[in-house]
Amino acid sequence: MANHFACIGIHANDKVAFGRVMDSLLEHTTVAGTTRDHELKVWSDTSGASYSFVFNHSHKAQCAIPSFRAESRLRVRATDFALHESCRLCDPLKAEMVDSEGHVLYPFATQLDDLALVRERIRPGMVLELAPCAFAESLQAWPDEAAYLTSRKPGKALRGSKLFIPNPASLLSKSSTPPPVEPRAYFAGQVEAADVRTNGVTGHQFQYALVRTYGGTYDVLAAADEATPQLRPGNIVRGTFWLVASVTAGLG
């Protein structure tokens, strides 16, 4: 199935190929901004694929985050940051999805590809606009809503065609200690647009889809291989996704 590197087309476990790709991307980055402690450099190409690299002022790479220049926008209210187990530059933003009238729909978390630049400017209660993308970790697809609705197995409750379950591991955990907050969601939604794109550096293809789910729309990235459904407008998709976003408005 697809992984967080679907836009690149090289799995991180292939260390030699992955290293070559990272070197090639770094050669074509542009500086997105600097802070007292860090510099953010970004690579992107015409496919929309993007990668953010965080350096300290000794020019040592601290973090690298796959992303995408998303077309969709979400309106959220920031609450806090969760702690990543090993990288402070990967701490997920905890937020509440809000509707146009400011009503809270549900809490969720997302990684920010521009965290190095915006973290110190984000305060609890701020209403932010995010450009979100969702990397498919598992994915199912049905031709349309009618096919989805008739797919229910006898004795099984049918999940809605537009649902969003944040941090699904927390629902499955039987431990008395809550699992870490992750920028991950299980959601279903309808494909509004879809195509296959090519990464200009690696030549690998990946699937892009604009998916409307409960609470908003996401730019979804998935592998273009035989194991992954081919997405088309009108499809209903359902799966588990890793969430990454950039802040586009609301910082003042």
Side-chain angles (χ1 to χ4, degrees):
M1 262 308 161
N3 54 60
H4 307 163
F5 306 95
C7 292
I8 292 177
I10 298 291
H11 200 286
N13 289 340
D14 187 344
K15 296 186 183 301
V16 174
F18 188 72
R20 287 200 301 264
V21 170
M22 291 294 101
D23 289 343
S24 181
L25 298 185
L26 280 167
E27 291 177 3
H28 298 89
T29 57
T30 58
V31 176
T34 60
T35 66
R36 179 183 58 194
D37 300 315
H38 299 103
E39 179 178 61
L40 180 67
K41 292 184 177 182
V42 177
W43 166 85
S44 63
D45 75 358
T46 56
S47 71
S50 174
Y51 227 98
S52 296
F53 300 89
V54 183
F55 293 83
N56 61 23
H57 290 305
S58 297
H59 307 291
K60 182 178 180 181
Q62 303 288 289
C63 186
I65 304 169
S67 190
F68 187 81
R69 295 199 315 274
E71 299 177 9
S72 51
R73 296 292 184 268
L74 296 177
R75 188 169 183 264
V76 307
R77 182 180 294 118
T79 57
D80 198 358
F81 286 94
L83 295 179
H84 187 273
E85 61 182 358
S86 60
C87 177
R88 186 173 185 273
L89 294 166
C90 293
D91 287 351
L93 170 70
K94 295 165 64 177
E96 297 169 332
M97 190 74 69
V98 294
D99 62 20
S100 59
E101 298 179 350
H103 300 137
V104 176
L105 301 179
Y106 47 79
F108 79 115
T110 181
Q111 192 169 8
L112 296 179
D113 60 16
D114 54 357
L115 181 64
L117 300 182
V118 304
R119 181 177 187 138
E120 300 305 321
R121 301 172 62 189
I122 294 176
R123 299 287 182 270
M126 271 187 170
V127 176
L128 304 173
E129 179 187 83
L130 303 181
C133 63
F135 290 90
E137 297 180 320
S138 67
L139 191 67
Q140 295 175 279
W142 291 262
D144 51 35
E145 188 162 17
Y148 177 78
L149 293 175
T150 58
S151 68
R152 180 177 65 87
K153 295 180 180 179
K156 295 285 187 178
L158 180 67
R159 298 185 176 98
S161 61
K162 290 185 177 65
L163 65 88
F164 190 99
I165 302 173
N167 202 26
S170 64
L171 299 179
L172 301 175
S173 175
K174 296 181 181 179
S175 171
S176 58
T177 303
V181 173
E182 293 185 327
R184 183 178 273 118
Y186 179 90
F187 68 75
Q190 186 167 43
V191 176
E192 297 187 335
D195 60 24
V196 176
R197 302 187 181 186
T198 302
N199 182 294
V201 169
T202 65
H204 287 275
Q205 293 186 321
F206 63 94
Q207 293 192 82
Y208 163 80
L210 198 62
V211 177
R212 181 173 295 279
T213 183
Y214 175 60
T217 301
Y218 286 81
D219 288 46
V220 167
L221 297 314
D225 57 26
E226 294 181 356
T228 307
Q230 184 174 354
L231 304 181
R232 303 181 187 279
N235 286 174
I236 300 297
V237 296
R238 190 174 71 195
T240 303
F241 302 85
W242 188 264
L243 306 181
V244 182
S246 57
V247 180
T248 52
L251 292 173

